[in-house]
Amino acid sequence: MFVGNVPLVQIRGLRTYFYTDDGVVRAVDGVDLAIHPGKVLGIIGETGSGKTVLALSIMRLVQPPGRVVEGNILYAQGNGKQIDLALLDPKGRAIREIRGKHISMIFQEPMVSLNPLYTIGEQIVENILVHQKVTPKEARDIAIHMLERVGIPEPEKRIDDYPHSLSGGMRQRAMIAMALVCQPRLLIADEPTTALDVTVQAQILELLKDLQRQMGMAIMIITHNLGVIAEIADFVGVMYLGKIMEYATVVELFENPLHPYTKDLFRSIPYCVRRKNKKRLEVIKGDIPDPYAKVEGCLYASRCSWASKKCLEDPPSIERDTGHMVRCWLYV
Ligand SMILES: Nc1ncnc2c1ncn2[C@@H]1O[C@H](COP(=O)(O)OP(=O)(O)O)[C@@H](O)[C@H]1O
Ligand SMILES: [Mg+2]
């Protein structure tokens, strides 16, 4: 798999912990992942799996009491050199230059990234001026063009709107415009369509797919919707309690899911992007263990129908088929 092809981002042994008064939350607990240039990596998993913290770790936006405590986030800068984002000062200049220009992030709720006090134009223009050597007038033209590309009608008027005067779908488009205006090599999209109604969800997904193809960027998309994964992802990582339980190409994962957690997820989360899914979905039995508890052995054992004595020990991550990784004793 990708022999001789350097990943855009190579994550190794990444741990991000929160040191709270109640104890330590191991939100990301030894993640290995590769994001390949121009490809889409989907991350799925239940709420609380550590998906958002993983994304924020790459951007170095994790706030205290959380911090990246171990591991590497090797980013291929494009000049043949790799830089370890895990070693950078999260407030320093080096990461600020990468954020927005090389790697951008969009969130489930656009109001997290859009400031209600400034027009969308002011915010996009500022982003351009930070990273590109252009005049304010040129930056405004670039912003209008980008708003047009993301399908905002009458962009030369809408550019002077405040975020709250746009509909949810239009706001999400504006946020995508802001994230993509400096042509990043990686877009991290954290549940970008979850807050939208189904028709708009499909439109935004289509837009992301088109822009991804036109701009050739890589995307890491976080979702709990399998339909979204099926439509857009090339590779998928299944995350549970801070660990990647399974990783494969999208075709391989859908045709041949191995981990009991992946199989249970497939029965419990929606497949469909375009229609409201009428079929009743099963709920995975049992609760997600307390994030403060240190679980010995397999993290899924307490909920797994296949669990045996062996699962009291932590299973290794093994390569079952080429490029298909699974962390489960059933396959050792
Ligand atoms: N600021 C914080 N303080 C303490 N725990 C946190 C903080 N942010 C996230 N966590 C914990 O980290 C774990 C992973 O959270 P998150 O990445 O948001 O999950 P997901 O995005 O998969 O739903 C959860 O147990 C969550 O409670
Ligand atoms: Mg999240």
Side-chain angles (χ1 to χ4, degrees), residues 16-20 23-28 43-56 62-66 108 190-191 222 224 239-242 288-292:
T16 303
Y17 292 177
F18 289 89
Y19 297 88
T20 74
V24 180
V25 180
R26 294 167 177 81
V28 172
I43 303 285
I44 48 169
E46 288 163 288
T47 301
S49 306
K51 306 182 299 296
T52 295
V53 175
L54 172 64
L56 294 175
V62 176
Q63 302 300 317
Q108 175 175 342
D190 189 0
E191 315 233 10
I222 295 171
H224 54 242
M239 197 164 180
Y240 185 66
L241 285 181
I288 300 182
D290 174 6
Y292 291 96

Side-chain angles (χ1 to χ4, degrees), residues 2-218:
F2 288 97
V3 178
N5 193 344
V6 180
L8 188 60
V9 180
Q10 176 83 56
I11 300 172
R12 288 205 200 115
L14 185 68
R15 295 180 203 275
T16 303
Y17 292 177
F18 289 89
Y19 297 88
T20 74
D21 293 343
D22 300 318
V24 180
V25 180
R26 294 167 177 81
V28 172
D29 201 13
V31 163
D32 299 297
L33 270 180
I35 304 172
H36 297 286
K39 300 285 177 188
V40 180
L41 170 66
I43 303 285
I44 48 169
E46 288 163 288
T47 301
S49 306
K51 306 182 299 296
T52 295
V53 175
L54 172 64
L56 294 175
S57 302
I58 299 171
M59 297 289 282
R60 298 305 310 279
L61 287 172
V62 176
Q63 302 300 317
R67 65 187 166 87
V68 172
V69 292
E70 212 179 289
N72 310 103
I73 306 166
L74 302 171
Y75 170 64
Q77 284 179 299
N79 54 4
K81 288 196 187 134
Q82 273 188 333
I83 178 170
D84 189 348
L85 306 183
L87 295 178
L88 298 181
D89 170 5
K91 293 204 174 72
R93 197 168 143 188
I95 190 72
R96 273 189 281 129
E97 270 173 20
I98 286 174
R99 256 186 238 140
K101 187 173 177 201
H102 292 245
I103 307 179
S104 288
M105 185 161 171
I106 55 177
F107 300 85
Q108 175 175 342
E109 178 40 68
M111 291 316 266
V112 172
S113 357
L114 292 173
N115 187 327
L117 301 178
Y118 296 92
T119 65
I120 54 169
E122 284 165 334
Q123 299 181 59
I124 298 174
V125 163
E126 188 194 301
N127 207 10
I128 299 169
L129 291 176
V130 167
H131 294 297
Q132 299 180 31
K133 288 190 184 65
V134 293
T135 66
K137 168 79 178 75
E138 287 165 335
R140 191 178 159 89
D141 291 341
I142 296 172
I144 291 173
H145 179 64
M146 196 65 219
L147 289 175
E148 190 172 10
R149 268 183 97 172
V150 298
I152 293 184
E154 298 187 285
E156 54 294 315
K157 283 193 190 139
R158 294 285 81 80
I159 189 169
D160 296 319
D161 281 353
Y162 287 87
H164 60 80
S165 62
L166 300 175
S167 69
M170 284 301 149
R171 229 182 280 164
Q172 194 59 301
R173 285 175 194 266
M175 192 167 65
I176 292 171
M178 190 159 90
L180 298 187
V181 74
C182 294
Q183 312 239 352
R185 294 164 74 218
L186 171 63
L187 174 71
I188 300 178
D190 189 0
E191 315 233 10
T193 62
T194 307
L196 306 169
D197 75 49
V198 271
T199 335
V200 183
Q201 268 188 31
Q203 290 166 358
I204 295 289
L205 202 63
E206 208 57 48
L207 171 69
L208 277 178
K209 241 165 60 177
D210 285 348
L211 291 169
Q212 191 261 339
R213 274 196 217 109
Q214 291 163 19
M215 299 166 98
M217 66 191 163

